[in-house]
Amino acid sequence: MLVLGAGSGAVAAALEARQTGASVLAVSDRSYFGDESAGALRLAHQRPCDDPLFAALLPADAPHPPSPRHVKHQLEQALLEAGVPFLFYARPVALLRNDEGELCGAVLAGRTSLYGVGFRTVVDATRHGLLARLANIPLPQRRTPAATLEWIVLSPDAPQSEAFATRAAGPPFKITEKDETVDVPAHLLTFPRPEHDDTVAGRAALEHRLRAHLLHPTLWGTAETIPDHATAHLAGNGALADDPLALAVGHCQARPELLLMNSLLPLSAEAVEALDDPAVQVMLGRHVGQAAGALAQQRRAAAGTTDWSRVALDAGGREAAGPFGFVPAFVRPTAGLPTLALDFSHAPLLGDCDVLVAGGGTGGAPAGIAAARAGARTVVLEMQHGLGGVGTMGLIASYWFGNRVGFTRELDERVNLLMGRERKDHNTRWNPNVKDVCYQRALLDAGGSAWLGSFAFGAQREGDRVTGVLVSTPFGSGLLRTGAIVDATGSADVAAAAGAPCRVIDHRHIAVQGTGLAPRRPGAHYRNTDHTFVDDSDLAGVTHAFVNARAKFPAEFDVAPLVDSRERRQIHGDIELSPLDFLAKRTFPDTITTAMSNFDTHGFTIHPVFVAVPPDKKPLFAHVPFRCMLPRGLDGVLVTGLGMSAHRDALPVIRMQADVQNQGYAAGLASARSAADRLPLRQLDMRRLQRDLVELGVLDANVLKHDDSFPLPVDAVAAAVDAGPVDHFHAAVLVAHNEQSLPGLRKLLDADDPAKREGAALLLGLSGQPEAAPVLAAIVADEPWDDGWNFTGMGQFGRSMSRLDGLILALGKTRSPQAVEPVAAKIDALDGSADFSHCRAVSIAAAALADARLSQGLARLLGEPGVQGHAHLESAAVIRTANDDGNETEARNLSLRELLLARGLYLCGDIDGLGRRILETYARDLRGHYARHAQAVLAADDLAELRLAVM
């Protein structure tokens, strides 16, 4: 049985069905269950209910309303204890039908990947009846809905406006802060229901307008859910009922295999409002879940096994034709599950626009504003309930460096004005709720539209041009055609779906910047964390991250709805930005922003230049070319932010919010030009675009004179060879001009100066030159282990491996037989307390050398007490040991050490299958990056090539 919906009732239905013996999957399109209570902030006790689940959520004798975190956590715990699997941020976009035309499954979209779920019965508890609409259930209109909309917000002062009426929403919430109890007042805003059409676009525009008009300088937060119900109901079941709990099961059954539990039920308009009562949700869920579970058992007994090769797909409309592209789903190894080859070739048509911005975050919201200001009909899709990304929804409401010019300066002035303060350069923090409203208002004022709670799940492509995006919204899904696309998803979702070559964590390395998922406390606007790794495109991993965060922060009011990941899927663009470009001060003819930051790495680096000279904390400027946003081989789409084409070690310098805001604005302006002039993006007048960006203050006028400064003159490379890798500039010049510098570096192997000899050998070894082996082997043999490095996320600057680690790594890369004995000796000197960087270095070296003596040493080290057993495989087990450290590193350090030692053993020459077994375990890890890396290593065809590629 499949249960779809974000309400408490969906959980109650799943639990009750499980009691019948049915296997159940519950799916929410939010980051939690409980949208009618925790999501809507309707947590004051309303009507009596003796159901144990309800009592756990909203205790009758509680002196004040429970926190949203409490409700969400209790619902998750109930599912975990009952053994009911569940997923967040997924939504049905198509149905599966068997030979008889019966529903036998649903296709779920999670970002741009599709997942099939087979079922005997399904409960549609989605707020607007998504599955019922896909199934074309007859739905006549209900009489006129309520004339007002109600929305709850948190603020120390009651918001006042002519646009809405305000009253207290019940007793205040209570939070404990520094041993003091603080009131968190909740206010109920009542809006006259604005006129709107009942299309997807009309319903989306309604919420955008409401949120854009809420401005209050001390706003602490808003409900994610603005209760608004479907204006239709189920036909053919008699008169409309006045009490949802009085409905018989037959009234809930839309098809033999489909039961409803939402406002499509045959209820009067007044009774529909009762569905927002948590008690009603739970009791109705029990009622429907029991019936659906029993029905599933009956249907399983009566029907044979589904022949999945004969299943047909029904996407609910024929107006728009493909071909449509999707990203292959990332899943963990599971026996017996087939891959379905389905023809997703048609979909409903939702409309047309000039510029579509996928993702309304740090880069997407500015892109939408820029495109709309340029006169383009603009739609911004955003999965969250607000705009601004990590700086608003993610609560990292402060700048860390960034070049605060151009649109960023304008935005800062708007935010400061609305917060009632003057702009000052040192004033780097903001109220995230106010900044969200600034974005919403600026987009609305420019004529653009935000579709909140919506995301791209596929792409339409004609030739090499992306012409449309498949969109999932809370009200339905379909194709939105467009003249140009800004892919601001942060994960290159649209570009990847359209077939652009992309980079994810693979067989080469597991270096990824740490991820935060922030606790939320009203009045505390800035909450920056780094306590895990999350792959944003991994549905199961994202779900686990939210469950773990709510267990991790039990004393907090809530957890932010946005995963604050700092590194994601990236395109391979027309050019790849490298840290060498910044360090060697490269200029480009097509610069569209100049970023400014230091190497805020939140983890460890892999680029050879940083083995030679570790990154430091000094800020530097970095020119970002337009070509980094162009997916190789595709037109019609620009990729901004974390998804752009750049080496992963370059990201810390170019990912700061101030810079991504300006980059997004440039991308929106360029896309509007492309759509208006019907020109491919690569044919835009780049100097014209740059002049406009200079006028806006985004660029300095000097950029107009720039050409590509690479390759550098011969004498500059010769000077770098003579100096050696003594600093970032010289090291970058040497590595960037590898072919020219190698002959000179070889000569330095005989230099009298030990430092020059060592520096030359290090760079030559990293380039795989065997001539460096004698020098490196002598140093490694003579030097005792130095101080290593254990994984650090927040506040990680400087080295992430010791000097000796780097020399060992380089020695291994020479593949010389002279390397084996020194490396073996260093492995033998390690024990179970060994630092991660030491283990990483010997693992990489051993993999490259592939000698049995090294395998024996790695196997011994893996057998040391405490080295194995650190994979995270089940949420229930992980959260039992959760701590409240927002910058926790120990779990990641232990897992990384185990994983890389196992990889080294597997590639060096496995002993008794130990390396493979550990990799197979990590292939199922809930942290998607670990699972991706382990799967990729195990799937590699050419181990000889892989041995040299790993870092």
Side-chain angles (χ1 to χ4, degrees):
M1 183 179 118
L2 175 64
V3 183
L4 298 165
S8 304
V11 173
L15 295 174
E16 198 66 26
R18 189 73 188 94
Q19 289 295 314
T20 70
S23 60
V24 185
L25 174 69
V27 178
S28 167
D29 64 348
R30 296 188 182 273
S31 61
Y32 58 88
F33 291 103
D35 75 335
E36 87 299 334
S37 50
L41 296 176
R42 294 169 61 96
L43 293 159
H45 197 281
Q46 294 172 58
R47 71 168 70 190
C49 177
D50 58 4
D51 186 281
L53 177 62
F54 180 83
L57 301 180
L58 302 172
D61 56 352
H64 51 78
S67 69
R69 188 218 68 88
H70 168 84
V71 171
K72 297 172 185 179
H73 177 67
Q74 289 296 323
L75 291 169
E76 293 158 359
Q77 280 294 105
L79 291 170
L80 289 172
E81 290 170 7
V84 176
F86 54 94
L87 294 171
F88 295 146
Y89 280 141
R91 197 177 274 150
V93 294
L95 297 171
L96 302 177
R97 296 181 184 270
N98 61 20
D99 286 346
E100 289 75 38
E102 296 177 320
L103 304 183
C104 63
V107 175
L108 306 179
R111 304 291 283 256
T112 45
S113 295
L114 302 181
Y115 305 80
V117 180
F119 57 70
R120 300 294 182 185
T121 60
V122 58
V123 173
D124 184 351
T126 62
R127 182 169 287 273
H128 297 281
L130 292 177
L131 205 81
R133 295 177 188 276
L134 282 169
N136 290 316
I137 303 298
L139 298 170
Q141 290 296 108
R142 187 181 279 108
R143 68 176 176 81
T144 305
T148 59
L149 290 173
E150 295 183 340
W151 183 24
I152 294 177
V153 302
L154 305 176
S155 174
D157 310 308
Q160 301 295 328
S161 171
E162 294 181 357
F164 51 79
T166 307
R167 63 179 174 84
F173 294 97
K174 304 280 187 180
I175 59 173
T176 301
E177 200 170 79
K178 297 179 180 177
D179 298 325
E180 292 185 8
T181 300
V182 179
D183 284 352
V184 180
H187 310 279
L188 181 69
L189 312 184
T190 303
F191 292 82
R193 181 183 290 273
E195 290 293 327
H196 71 282
D197 61 76
D198 203 32
T199 62
V200 167
R203 283 187 167 273
L206 170 62
E207 182 167 355
H208 180 203
R209 289 200 301 272
L210 288 177
R211 291 188 178 276
H213 283 100
L214 177 64
L215 175 63
H216 192 60
T218 62
L219 196 64
W220 280 350
T222 67
E224 288 192 38
T225 305
I226 303 177
D228 185 24
H229 296 285
T231 57
H233 68 92
L234 190 63
N237 285 301
L240 295 176
D242 289 321
D243 182 0
L245 296 179
L247 289 172
V249 170
H251 291 109
C252 302
Q253 197 162 7
R255 288 179 54 98
E257 65 278 61
L258 168 61
L259 285 83
L260 299 182
M261 209 187 78
N262 50 34
S263 58
L264 296 184
L265 289 170
L267 296 168
S268 66
E270 291 76 13
V272 164
E273 302 301 317
L275 293 174
D276 292 322
D277 188 316
V280 172
Q281 280 271 319
V282 170
M283 289 187 283
L284 182 60
R286 295 285 193 192
H287 181 61
V288 172
Q290 185 179 44
L295 181 60
Q297 301 283 56
Q298 295 168 14
R299 291 175 61 80
R300 182 173 63 184
T305 303
T306 302
D307 183 356
W308 292 107
S309 67
R310 299 172 62 86
V311 163
L313 183 140
D314 179 0
R318 307 290 296 178
E319 301 96 326
F324 301 128
F326 309 94
V327 179
F330 171 71
V331 295
R332 287 150 184 82
T334 307
L337 291 183
T339 297
L340 304 184
L342 299 170
D343 182 21
F344 205 125
S345 58
H346 290 81
L349 179 63
L350 300 183
D352 298 86
C353 61
D354 298 321
V355 174
L356 184 147
V357 181
T362 314
I369 293 166
R373 286 178 176 177
R377 294 175 302 147
T378 304
V379 174
V380 177
L381 307 176
E382 174 49 50
M383 188 183 296
Q384 302 296 328
H385 63 282
L387 302 180
V390 297
T392 57
M393 300 295 104
L395 299 181
I396 305 181
S398 178
Y399 291 133
W400 176 260
F401 288 109
N403 196 6
R404 300 166 203 170
V405 297
F407 176 73
T408 288
R409 178 174 288 272
E410 175 199 332
L411 179 64
D412 292 347
E413 289 172 349
R414 279 175 171 259
V415 171
N416 283 321
L417 179 65
L418 294 177
M419 288 178 65
R421 67 187 190 190
E422 295 181 3
R423 187 198 190 301
K424 294 181 180 178
D425 288 338
H426 67 269
N427 211 346
T428 62
R429 294 195 176 187
W430 55 83
N431 181 327
N433 304 286
V434 171
K435 190 165 186 174
D436 170 26
V437 176
C438 283
Y439 278 129
Q440 305 256 17
R441 281 197 173 185
L443 180 62
L444 188 65
D445 291 345
S449 179
W451 291 16
L452 303 175
S454 303
F455 60 91
F457 72 90
Q460 183 191 55
R461 178 172 168 173
E462 296 179 8
D464 64 355
R465 184 176 181 82
V466 186
T467 55
V469 167
L470 287 171
V471 179
S472 171
T473 83
F475 319 106
S477 59
L479 178 71
L480 190 55
R481 295 184 302 213
T482 184
I485 299 166
V486 178
D487 184 340
T489 59
S491 299
D493 287 346
V494 175
C502 291
R503 177 190 304 108
V504 294
I505 289 294
D506 58 17
H507 58 279
R508 291 169 294 181
H509 67 83
I510 184 57
V512 63
Q513 294 180 68
T515 298
L517 221 173
R520 179 172 165 235
R521 180 174 298 178
H525 300 318
Y526 175 78
R527 303 299 293 271
N528 194 1
T529 63
D530 180 346
H531 53 80
T532 187
F533 291 139
V534 181
D535 179 346
D536 296 68
S537 61
D538 169 22
L539 208 59
V542 168
T543 301
H544 167 71
F546 281 105
V547 173
N548 188 51
R550 282 190 273 272
K552 187 176 183 67
F553 302 115
E556 298 288 354
F557 181 77
D558 205 353
V559 168
L562 178 70
V563 175
D564 286 329
S565 51
R566 298 172 171 92
E567 189 170 345
R568 307 175 192 171
R569 177 171 52 215
Q570 298 171 271
I571 59 166
H572 290 289
D574 286 3
I575 188 173
E576 178 179 285
L577 210 53
S578 162
L580 303 176
D581 299 326
F582 314 154
L583 298 174
K585 303 177 182 178
R586 185 177 181 180
T587 60
F588 303 94
D590 57 336
T591 294
I592 43 88
T593 59
T594 300
M596 189 272 286
S597 184
N598 59 6
F599 286 98
D600 183 17
T601 58
H602 282 267
F604 59 95
T605 54
I606 61 168
H607 199 286
V609 75
F610 293 133
V611 179
V613 182
D616 56 33
K617 204 171 181 178
K618 297 175 184 176
L620 66 162
F621 288 94
H623 297 303
V624 179
F626 186 70
R627 287 167 291 166
C628 287
M629 297 194 292
L630 292 169
R632 197 179 301 164
L634 276 186
D635 189 46
V637 58
L638 288 174
V639 179
T640 70
L642 297 181
M644 67 184 293
S645 180
H647 188 280
R648 57 95 41 203
D649 285 351
L651 279 178
V653 176
I654 60 174
R655 67 167 173 79
M656 295 303 147
Q657 293 185 58
D659 296 320
V660 174
Q661 288 164 181
N662 279 329
Q663 185 194 85
Y665 197 90
L669 180 59
S671 296
R673 293 266 171 80
S674 173
D677 298 341
R678 297 188 178 181
L679 274 177
L681 288 161
R682 289 172 176 82
Q683 294 180 21
L684 288 178
D685 184 337
M686 190 51 52
R687 289 302 188 202
R688 177 193 172 197
L689 178 62
Q690 287 177 321
R691 285 193 297 271
D692 289 342
L693 293 173
V694 168
E695 186 176 343
L696 289 164
V698 171
L699 288 177
D700 186 274
N702 287 334
V703 167
L704 298 172
K705 303 173 186 177
H706 285 176
D707 291 314
D708 197 331
S709 60
F710 270 23
L712 292 175
V714 173
D715 58 348
V717 179
V721 170
D722 184 59
V726 293
D727 56 27
H728 281 136
F729 176 78
H730 290 92
V733 172
L734 292 170
V735 176
H737 301 78
N738 200 43
E739 290 186 10
Q740 300 99 303
S741 65
L742 285 179
L745 291 173
R746 288 191 184 101
K747 293 179 182 178
L748 290 177
L749 292 175
D750 297 321
D752 293 331
D753 185 341
K756 283 196 172 185
R757 197 164 57 243
E758 180 180 315
L762 179 62
L763 288 182
L764 287 167
L766 292 171
S767 298
Q769 306 301 309
E771 301 95 322
V775 174
L776 292 170
I779 298 172
V780 170
D782 290 344
E783 292 290 328
W785 272 118
D786 51 6
D787 290 336
W789 179 86
N790 284 314
F791 181 84
T792 304
M794 184 72 73
Q796 168 56 27
F797 298 96
R799 68 181 186 92
S800 55
M801 62 167 44
S802 71
R803 182 68 173 179
L804 184 56
D805 290 330
L807 293 167
I808 292 171
L809 190 155
L811 176 59
K813 293 285 186 181
T814 67
R815 294 162 291 164
S816 169
Q818 292 177 270
V820 174
E821 287 302 331
V823 174
K826 287 296 178 284
I827 296 175
D828 290 342
L830 297 175
D831 59 21
S833 65
D835 292 332
F836 164 64
S837 70
H838 293 340
C839 294
R840 177 185 169 215
V842 298
S843 169
I844 294 170
L849 294 168
D851 187 280
R853 285 168 290 180
L854 303 178
S855 293
Q856 292 167 6
L858 293 179
R860 177 199 61 78
L861 191 51
L862 279 164
E864 289 282 320
V867 175
Q868 289 187 48
H870 302 293
H872 289 183
L873 304 177
E874 295 180 351
S875 290
V878 173
I879 67 176
R880 280 197 293 269
T881 59
N883 60 58
D884 62 357
D885 185 353
N887 296 312
E888 191 275 332
T889 59
E890 183 180 9
R892 286 179 286 179
N893 189 68
L894 292 172
S895 295
L896 284 167
R897 188 178 67 165
E898 179 186 7
L899 177 56
L900 265 62
L901 284 172
R903 182 189 72 183
L905 176 59
Y906 175 74
L907 295 177
C908 184
D910 210 352
I911 294 179
D912 297 329
L914 175 60
R916 171 177 281 277
R917 287 198 301 276
I918 295 173
L919 288 170
E920 288 173 342
T921 299
Y922 275 96
R924 297 180 287 113
D925 198 285
L926 289 166
R927 296 159 295 185
H929 295 303
Y930 290 170
R932 276 190 189 273
H933 182 62
Q935 289 182 26
V937 171
L938 290 168
D941 295 325
D942 189 344
L943 289 188
E945 180 181 342
L946 179 55
R947 289 184 179 109
L948 298 177
V950 295
M951 282 294 287

